[in-house]
Amino acid sequence: MSTLRKGRVQGLSGKRNGRQRENGVSVAYFERVGASVFRPTRHVGGAWDPEEQHIGPALGLLAHLVEQDRDARRDDGLHIGRLSYDIHGRVPLEDVESGVRVARAGRTVELVEAELAHAGRTVVAVRAWLMRPGDSGAVEGTGLPGIPGPESMKPWDPSTVWPGGFVASAEVRRDRTGPGRAAFWIRTEHQLVAGEPVGPLAGAATLFDLANGMAVRADPQDLAFPNLDLTAHLFRQPRGAWTGFDTTVSFGPTGLGLTSSTLHDQHGPLGTLAQSLTLRTH
């Protein structure tokens, strides 16, 4: 952590906050207990082990910290075009310390790195490319197919397959067409960090890691298939509370797997997502 700046507290405009409450208090995945220290709540409980952190909220937290750091340093609102995460290992439900640094500074493009550490050990890190926005509306378009909206899909309870507080906090609408193949929408009313406004991208990034569990090829009671990384490429910024996925899960013959998704909001496709899997029998 010594080469990274500690996390900053910085407001963001045009953000969304969770609305669900418990005993009059807004529900959140993390509480900030220091300038750069975050404490997970029970809603971060993992799917492979409910006594460990699900990595999803950590990915959203890192995106949030990159955006906060950007806005503390500059006022031109660079857009994040890529989030590339590496997951270094399991994370207990304990405090994590954060840090951010600019790896490649630039006037119109920059590369920013951020990480979370527990007990001095890096547990997850991100490298984010940020780009100055411009007007490309005249050539806007994509060949990526859309998916039906959330109102067209049936509600599905992912806790019938997965344990843990994070999965239980997600509202899912899903159309599953076979093993390892599904389209689905996810949203949550939980705050990412208690009392802090969070941008639409960080909110969506909180949900990205759920892609690997919504279209399973195998029963997780028989086969473990955790992801080692996650990379999202975006050609526009997300809007709205729902994040959509068109997901395919592939298993190879030598213990490797891949979860591939096209990302959507209710305005259409907005990018792609990939997760490398390691296949392990119980």
Side-chain angles (χ1 to χ4, degrees):
M1 297 292 293
S2 60
T3 61
L4 283 80
R5 293 190 301 278
K6 303 297 186 182
R8 310 178 189 220
V9 179
Q10 176 74 16
L12 297 171
S13 61
K15 312 309 180 189
R16 70 187 186 203
N17 282 306
R19 298 183 299 278
Q20 189 168 329
R21 304 176 74 83
E22 288 181 348
N23 300 321
V25 178
S26 293
V27 175
Y29 294 121
F30 289 101
E31 299 171 350
R32 192 188 287 262
V33 294
S36 61
V37 181
F38 297 86
R39 179 164 297 157
T41 71
R42 65 183 180 84
H43 303 290
V44 183
W48 296 110
D49 184 345
E51 299 304 314
E52 297 176 344
Q53 290 191 39
H54 195 295
I55 207 65
L59 305 190
L61 178 58
L62 285 172
H64 176 51
L65 296 176
V66 168
E67 291 186 313
Q68 284 192 319
D69 179 77
R70 172 202 63 193
D71 292 346
R73 293 183 292 102
R74 52 195 304 164
D75 60 5
D76 53 355
L78 297 182
H79 285 183
I80 294 177
R82 189 204 72 181
L83 291 164
S84 184
Y85 298 93
D86 288 308
I87 302 164
H88 291 227
R90 296 181 176 184
V91 193
L93 282 168
E94 298 176 3
D95 292 2
V96 289
E97 186 176 4
S98 65
V100 185
R101 76 180 184 96
V102 178
R104 187 270 192 194
R107 186 173 59 88
T108 61
V109 176
E110 65 179 20
L111 179 64
V112 177
E113 298 176 341
E115 69 175 36
L116 297 178
H118 172 262
R121 176 182 66 88
T122 298
V123 291
V124 59
V126 67
R127 289 168 60 86
W129 277 109
L130 287 74
M131 294 167 262
R132 178 175 291 180
D135 183 2
S136 57
V139 296
E140 180 182 7
T142 178
L144 294 171
I147 59 175
E151 70 284 350
S152 301
M153 296 186 186
K154 294 181 179 180
W156 179 63
D157 182 2
S159 66
T160 59
V161 177
W162 298 103
F166 183 54
V167 169
S169 76
E171 179 184 354
V172 180
R173 309 282 182 87
R174 189 181 72 158
D175 181 8
R176 184 173 184 262
T177 56
R181 190 75 182 94
F184 48 91
W185 294 88
I186 310 176
R187 68 178 176 182
T188 179
E189 292 192 335
H190 288 46
Q191 290 182 301
L192 178 57
V193 181
E196 293 190 20
V198 170
L201 177 55
T206 303
L207 306 174
F208 285 171
D209 193 67
L210 288 170
N212 188 41
M214 300 295 110
V216 297
R217 287 197 65 85
D219 188 331
Q221 298 297 319
D222 301 325
L223 179 74
F225 41 91
N227 55 303
L228 306 177
D229 66 359
L230 183 150
T231 297
H233 289 97
L234 307 169
F235 57 86
R236 65 176 179 84
Q237 302 298 284
R239 293 176 284 170
W242 287 102
T243 301
F245 302 77
D246 187 3
T247 296
T248 301
V249 180
S250 304
F251 291 167
T254 60
L256 280 66
L258 175 66
T259 296
S260 304
S261 304
T262 300
L263 294 168
H264 299 73
D265 61 17
Q266 289 182 270
H267 302 275
L270 59 90
T272 61
L273 184 72
Q275 297 161 275
S276 299
L277 314 180
T278 176
L279 312 183
R280 303 171 180 177
T281 55
H282 292 300

